[in-house]
Amino acid sequence: MDYSAEERFRALMRKIDYLNNISQTLSWDMRVMMPKDAAEYRGAEMGFLAGQIHTLETSPEMEALLQELESTQPEDFVLRAMIRKARFTHDKLSKVPEALYAAYADHNLKTEHIWAEARAKNDYSMVLPFLKQEFTFKKELISCAGFADDPLTGLMDEWEAGTTRQQIDGLYEELKAFLVPFVQRLRVEPQPDPAPLRGCFPKEKQKAFCREVLQAVGYNFDRGRVDEGAHPYTTFNFRKDIRFTCRYFEDDFTRATLSCLHEGGHAIHWQNMGAELDGTTLAVSTSLSVDESQSRFQENILGRSLAFWEHFLPVARKYFPALEGVSPEAFYRALNALHVSPVRLTADELTYNLHIILRYELEKALLDGSLSFEELPAAWNKKSMEYLGVCPANDAEGVLQDMHWFSGYICYFQSYVLGNCYDGHFLHAMQKDVPDMFEQVRRGDFSRILGWNVSHIHRFASTKTPRQVLWDAAGEELSAKRYLQYLTDKYSEIYRLS
């Protein structure tokens, strides 16, 4: 039986999608379930899968099908998006030798596994040679793609196409010009009482509370699961199988709650991608910045709001009797108080951005050779003092705190700040369409908020570009303006600034 070019193309893309999903599942298993001694063989398995995917995406068959389909200009919107994505991937990966691609995948998994052990032992030297090789691999890969003279831009382009060094430099200067003096001003103001957050919160009760919160905001446990892991992380398989990890701290239940909201935001985004995109390779976020906007919207815009805790603090009291007598307003102010910490994941909304700028400046120095990997821990501590006024107690709390560089997510961190900026726009647009959104949150009703995000963002996945998603949802170009106004309004109220 003869099949049309479209049918053969769709079958090929489905095969690639299956292999990508298998790789994601193995990655989740490695982080959550895999025995320690299986790491080397799992790395070889992941390298093999990466090589198979590379072969299919760069094959003569793919090129022939693309040429035939591109000449027909199909009317189907999804098919056009599939062709556009396959062409981009084919042309980019065709420049990368398959052996290099597979070797990097193998090394990448081993590095992450060693990082987890190094952080547990507070021993940067264990992972130092692997981190060096991680950066070397990434520079080689991005050089193949035509970014030999500007690897920083090339690596950022992987996470959001079109992002450049000049754009991020300008954005960070704008943020620093606002954040540094604003944080300094807040530091000398009377601080909210931290007592409402203190207590003993058993892990199993935290898990039960977080599950109730996640179900309320829209996470579907029939399509996902939550496990413990060394670092909070979401595994993107396909919309009916989205998994994430969380860490629990028995002296502060809000850390796990906000972490679950963050990772749950990723997961909800992926669970609500259009069913018509299954098996097309398009059921992925349009960019990691938009993806981060959805996680940070749940964590910060909703999860750190007064309305959220007016609803959920009474729920939390069922699990944690020590919260009896704590008012929602006192809890809200304590939760949002300036918390200058050497650890990114415990930072407040304001200083979080300074954590990202710190990492970006270190990445630039590592990539241009002005900073050696041996000097990295000391440079990290110095910048922490410069921007945050606090020094990590050790490398586990400093250079080893994040998995990103050790998992291939080099030059990824700006995605969090860009996500914050997207959220400024999305919040402004949502409040026009759902003016009583926070009153609904106060009642524990997240249906219209979820519906807005699904109809404007989630369902399109990667069929639109990031800036198309923003323009269609909010009618604006990306900037820091809306986000900075959100921070100004929120913290001026919390600190009762005149």
Side-chain angles (χ1 to χ4, degrees):
M1 180 178 179
D2 291 332
Y3 292 95
S4 68
E6 178 183 337
E7 289 172 321
R8 286 181 283 130
F9 175 67
R10 287 183 180 275
L12 182 56
M13 294 295 275
R14 190 176 302 112
K15 186 182 294 185
I16 292 168
D17 199 59
Y18 289 162
L19 289 172
N20 277 324
N21 291 343
I22 292 168
S23 180
Q24 287 289 332
T25 302
L26 287 176
S27 178
W28 169 86
D29 175 75
M30 181 272 293
R31 294 184 173 99
V32 178
M33 303 291 291
M34 186 186 76
K36 174 184 174 183
D37 289 351
E40 184 173 354
Y41 198 77
R42 178 58 52 83
E45 292 173 331
M46 298 290 282
F48 171 77
L49 279 172
Q52 293 298 300
I53 295 167
H54 182 281
T55 296
L56 293 176
E57 290 179 324
T58 60
S59 65
E61 179 187 10
M62 177 68 82
E63 174 62 27
L65 288 170
L66 286 173
Q67 288 187 16
E68 184 171 349
L69 291 169
E70 286 167 341
S71 68
T72 64
Q73 298 182 336
E75 294 183 3
D76 183 84
F77 175 72
V78 172
L79 180 58
R80 290 202 310 273
M82 289 173 67
I83 294 168
R84 183 170 60 248
K85 180 177 181 179
R87 169 56 71 191
F88 175 83
T89 303
H90 175 277
D91 291 353
K92 181 178 180 180
L93 291 185
S94 292
K95 300 170 184 176
V96 179
E98 180 185 339
L100 174 61
Y101 197 73
Y104 169 65
D106 182 1
H107 174 82
N108 190 49
L109 186 141
K110 292 176 182 175
T111 302
E112 182 180 329
H113 198 71
I114 292 166
W115 159 79
E117 186 177 356
R119 188 174 78 163
K121 295 180 177 179
N122 185 33
D123 187 355
Y124 175 69
S125 66
M126 284 181 62
V127 77
L128 170 60
F130 293 89
L131 181 62
K132 281 185 180 179
Q133 187 59 43
E134 191 78 27
F135 271 72
T136 298
F137 267 126
K138 294 294 278 191
K139 289 176 76 171
E140 287 183 47
L141 290 165
I142 214 66
S143 179
C144 293
F147 289 97
D149 294 333
D150 190 1
L152 181 69
T153 290
L155 289 167
M156 291 192 297
D157 185 77
E158 286 193 311
W159 312 118
E160 174 141 353
T163 303
T164 67
R165 170 198 298 262
Q166 292 75 20
Q167 289 172 349
I168 298 302
D169 284 347
L171 174 65
Y172 284 174
E173 287 305 314
E174 181 181 4
L175 288 171
K176 282 195 291 186
F178 166 78
L179 289 169
V180 172
F182 195 56
V183 168
Q184 288 174 346
R185 180 182 180 186
L186 295 185
R187 276 178 163 167
V188 301
E189 295 290 333
Q191 297 298 310
D193 183 0
L197 304 182
R198 293 173 179 164
C200 179
F201 309 99
K203 182 194 294 186
E204 293 307 314
K205 290 188 176 182
Q206 288 191 53
K207 289 181 178 180
F209 174 67
C210 287
R211 185 181 180 92
E212 188 166 346
V213 170
L214 286 166
Q215 287 176 319
V217 300
Y219 183 61
N220 186 342
F221 277 90
D222 290 333
R223 297 184 173 190
R225 57 180 292 134
V226 182
D227 294 274
E228 286 191 66
H231 190 92
Y233 177 83
T234 303
T235 297
F236 310 121
N237 194 326
F238 88 117
R239 63 189 176 87
K240 293 185 179 180
D241 185 4
I242 306 295
R243 315 173 187 196
F244 68 86
T245 60
C246 182
R247 295 179 72 195
Y248 300 89
F249 301 86
E250 295 200 331
D251 62 342
D252 182 357
F253 81 99
T254 65
R255 290 182 66 178
T257 303
L258 293 173
S259 178
C260 279
L261 283 168
H262 180 99
E263 301 304 331
H266 285 303
I268 291 167
H269 177 38
W270 286 66
Q271 286 183 339
N272 288 285
M273 292 178 178
E276 71 278 9
L277 304 179
D278 291 350
T280 65
T281 76
L282 296 173
V284 295
S285 187
T286 184
S287 78
L288 274 298
S289 301
V290 171
D291 200 17
E292 291 297 346
S293 80
Q294 297 309 286
S295 64
R296 299 188 68 71
F297 192 94
Q298 293 287 343
E299 175 192 0
N300 294 327
I301 305 296
L302 299 182
R304 292 181 186 267
S305 70
L306 175 59
F308 187 92
W309 289 103
E310 284 177 327
H311 175 74
F312 278 111
L313 190 59
V315 177
R317 291 189 189 113
K318 295 189 306 182
Y319 299 95
F320 314 118
L323 295 173
E324 289 292 342
V326 175
S327 72
E329 182 171 343
F331 189 91
Y332 162 72
R333 293 185 183 281
L335 182 65
N336 286 282
L338 200 65
H339 182 64
V340 181
S341 165
V343 179
R344 176 180 62 89
L345 292 179
T346 62
D348 58 83
E349 282 186 84
L350 284 170
T351 58
Y352 184 95
N353 297 285
L354 297 174
H355 278 270
I356 303 306
I357 294 171
L358 176 155
R359 288 152 175 77
Y360 174 73
E361 293 181 354
L362 292 173
E363 285 173 327
K364 287 172 69 175
L366 289 169
L367 288 167
D368 69 21
S370 60
L371 176 68
S372 73
F373 289 89
E374 288 77 8
E375 298 168 325
L376 178 59
W380 181 293
N381 294 346
K382 181 179 179 181
K383 282 197 175 290
S384 183
M385 283 298 299
E386 178 185 351
Y387 286 138
L388 302 166
V390 61
C391 184
N394 50 48
D395 287 343
E397 193 177 78
V399 69
L400 292 174
Q401 68 177 267
D402 296 312
M403 68 184 285
H404 298 64
W405 289 346
F406 308 94
S407 306
Y409 287 78
I410 295 168
C411 297
Y412 176 90
F413 282 107
Q414 76 284 342
S415 299
Y416 295 112
V417 171
L418 290 173
N420 288 338
C421 294
Y422 276 111
D423 276 344
H425 295 286
F426 292 144
L427 174 62
H428 181 74
M430 187 183 291
Q431 287 183 303
K432 288 182 178 179
D433 295 340
V434 190
D436 65 337
M437 62 173 284
F438 284 108
E439 180 56 38
Q440 294 183 29
V441 170
R442 190 171 287 110
R443 298 196 302 266
D445 182 0
F446 295 85
S447 57
R448 288 194 66 193
I449 293 172
L450 176 60
W452 193 96
N453 281 325
V454 171
S455 62
H456 289 86
I457 304 166
H458 301 342
R459 68 187 181 96
F460 295 107
S462 61
T463 61
K464 293 183 178 182
T465 67
R467 303 308 163 89
Q468 283 176 322
V469 169
L470 176 59
W471 183 261
D472 291 346
E476 296 177 333
E477 299 289 346
L478 185 64
S479 76
K481 177 183 175 183
R482 299 286 186 201
Y483 174 59
L484 293 180
Q485 189 61 55
Y486 157 78
L487 290 177
T488 300
D489 293 344
K490 179 173 183 175
Y491 278 87
S492 294
E493 188 279 326
I494 289 171
Y495 279 83
R496 299 184 172 94
L497 302 181
S498 57

